[in-house]
Amino acid sequence: MQAYYDCRRSKRNSDSALAFEMDLEQNLVQLHDDLMSGTYQPGRSICFVVTRPKAREVWAAAFRDRVVHHLLYNHVAPRFYASFIADSCACIPGRGTLYAAMRLESKIRSASENWSKPVFYLKCDLANFFVAIDKQVLRLQLAAKITEPWWLALAEQILMHDPRRDFETRSPRHLFGRVPQHKRLTAQPAHLGLPIGNLSSQFFANVYLDALDQFAKHRLRAKHYIRYVDDFVFLHESPQQLNAWHAEVEVFLQTLGARLNPTKTILQPVDRGVDFVGHVIKPWRRTTRKRALSQALKRTAAAPADDLRETANSYFGLLSQASHSEKDRAALARVVLKRGHAVNGKMTKAYLKCGA
């Protein structure tokens, strides 16, 4: 029941959630019986394409299966989180993008002694991360912490399930054509790749890269390191040391079956600004990435009238996360005011259309 409540959060009005809720007690009892008898089998997935910020395949498991994902997550996640480093972010309670940005800013201040001495950063990104995850490696990582046979079997069933065997598409063919072939799950061999879009995949991805976190902290002994999903940053006063770590990380990732994306590897002084999780960290200030601001202004200007207030308030919240965002919020406020809605004096919230 708790897994069901967690699953329906923010999705209660979706068609699949409403269909499950119509006969809630019977559906939960049947799901429980299937799990306990060993007859549970994952159902059909839905595959569609999102185009922002770039085209990518997204897979949505059936609502019934998402309840099972939450069931597993609720039971086993705490034991994994207890061993994760504090600098592992994303899909961990209390460790979202704001946590990651503020923690990196704090690390830069520490490494540079409040911006008083030069420090360099090495930013890396894994190539085709989700579709390249080796499930056999991940299987062993799960088995190291999940010692109960029933829960391990469930974890392995979710992990090894191949949604490509039974799925329906919900996007036009031309949108799938916009997703590069090497980034499509449907183009990977069976032992590679997790479907983007499921809670289980987000959790498994953190388990998979915990090995990298432990390597960075305990083998490389990097004092200033942080990771958000597959983006990670090292800080050091010596660019030569960062280059040496870069080489060691490349070798280590081979043991996971992963590799770096060379086009997204950056080594430069932190004074030029560190672009991380949508924030740009510069001396004494943290701002929103220009591309994110541009998108906020465009989408708010183009939002349907009925959705304008909700869209604007969502972006006001995003912009307010930056320590220096007054100019950006003022630009967004001008768009909202131009469309006839009111904005509070702090430029953090839009209200109903004037006179409505």
Side-chain angles (χ1 to χ4, degrees):
M1 181 63 76
Q2 184 59 52
Y4 162 72
Y5 283 134
D6 293 341
C7 185
R8 79 173 189 183
R9 188 179 297 126
S10 77
K11 300 181 185 297
R12 191 169 187 179
N13 291 326
S14 66
D15 291 342
S16 58
L18 290 171
F20 193 89
E21 190 174 9
M22 283 180 66
D23 198 0
L24 178 60
E25 184 175 348
Q26 179 60 37
N27 284 332
L28 286 177
V29 169
Q30 185 62 56
L31 179 57
H32 174 272
D33 292 345
D34 289 349
L35 287 166
M36 297 310 296
S37 65
T39 59
Y40 165 75
Q41 292 295 327
R44 171 175 288 192
S45 295
I46 295 171
C47 182
F48 58 95
V49 174
V50 296
T51 57
R52 285 190 292 260
K54 55 188 176 182
R56 65 174 63 189
E57 256 181 8
V58 177
W59 297 77
F63 187 84
R64 185 176 191 260
D65 297 331
R66 296 203 297 272
V67 173
V68 176
H69 297 171
H70 279 273
L71 179 73
L72 174 71
Y73 174 84
N74 289 346
H75 184 78
V76 305
R79 71 186 69 177
F80 285 92
Y81 290 162
S83 62
F84 284 177
I85 65 171
D87 300 308
S88 170
C89 312
C91 309
I92 300 174
R95 299 192 202 174
T97 55
L98 180 58
Y99 172 92
M102 293 180 68
R103 192 162 181 87
L104 178 57
E105 183 178 28
S106 175
K107 287 178 175 294
I108 292 174
R109 282 174 173 263
S110 174
S112 66
E113 296 180 4
N114 271 336
W115 304 97
S116 64
K117 70 176 188 179
V119 170
F120 294 80
Y121 77 94
L122 170 68
K123 182 182 176 185
C124 300
D125 179 278
L126 297 187
N128 313 319
F129 175 52
F130 273 94
V131 299
I133 289 176
D134 190 323
K135 292 193 283 190
Q136 296 296 349
V137 172
L138 185 48
R139 192 177 201 166
L140 296 176
Q141 293 172 321
L142 292 171
K145 287 267 176 69
I146 306 176
T147 55
E148 312 93 319
W150 189 90
W151 287 102
L152 179 58
L154 181 61
E156 291 181 343
Q157 183 180 27
I158 295 171
L159 170 65
M160 304 309 292
H161 170 65
D162 189 347
R164 298 170 295 184
R165 295 176 183 171
D166 183 19
F167 72 96
E168 59 180 289
T169 58
R170 291 282 179 89
S171 291
R173 182 176 298 179
H174 74 273
L175 286 184
F176 284 98
R178 291 174 57 180
V179 183
Q181 195 71 3
H182 63 278
K183 291 183 176 293
R184 297 191 63 181
L185 182 64
T186 51
Q188 308 307 315
H191 72 286
L192 292 183
L194 297 178
I196 297 174
N198 293 332
L199 170 68
S200 56
S201 297
Q202 298 169 9
F203 170 62
F204 288 156
N206 260 342
V207 173
Y208 184 70
L209 286 186
D210 177 57
L212 172 62
D213 299 338
Q214 302 298 335
F215 176 79
K217 286 293 187 180
H218 302 300
R219 290 280 298 278
L220 301 182
R221 297 189 179 280
K223 182 178 180 181
H224 301 297
Y225 161 89
I226 189 167
R227 177 180 63 82
Y228 187 90
V229 192
D230 64 324
D231 292 334
F232 54 96
V233 176
F234 289 92
L235 302 172
H236 201 276
E237 59 191 27
S238 166
Q240 291 77 23
Q241 178 64 75
L242 291 174
N243 273 319
W245 283 346
H246 176 261
E248 291 186 69
V249 166
E250 281 194 303
V251 173
F252 172 76
L253 287 174
Q254 294 176 14
T255 66
L256 297 179
R259 61 187 180 85
L260 295 176
N261 184 341
T263 65
K264 292 187 177 180
T265 298
I266 301 171
L267 197 164
Q268 64 179 16
V270 297
D271 286 354
R272 295 184 184 177
V274 185
D275 188 332
F276 188 61
V277 297
H279 294 244
V280 179
I281 302 165
K282 293 183 177 180
W284 303 107
R285 67 190 187 278
R286 177 168 42 83
T287 60
T288 305
R289 182 186 294 162
K290 288 184 178 179
R291 188 175 68 186
L293 172 61
S294 176
Q295 187 177 73
L297 299 179
K298 288 179 181 178
R299 294 188 68 184
T300 303
D306 291 343
D307 299 333
L308 175 60
R309 186 166 65 100
E310 183 178 350
T311 300
N313 284 335
S314 175
Y315 282 120
F316 274 130
L318 175 67
L319 297 177
S320 296
Q321 291 184 351
S323 63
H324 289 65
S325 64
E326 187 172 353
K327 288 184 178 179
D328 295 343
R329 286 183 285 116
L332 180 60
R334 285 193 292 271
V335 173
V336 175
L337 291 169
K338 190 174 181 179
R339 295 196 59 184
H341 282 251
V343 177
N344 68 348
K346 294 182 179 180
M347 296 181 294
T348 57
K349 188 174 182 180
Y351 295 95
L352 290 174
K353 192 170 184 177
C354 299

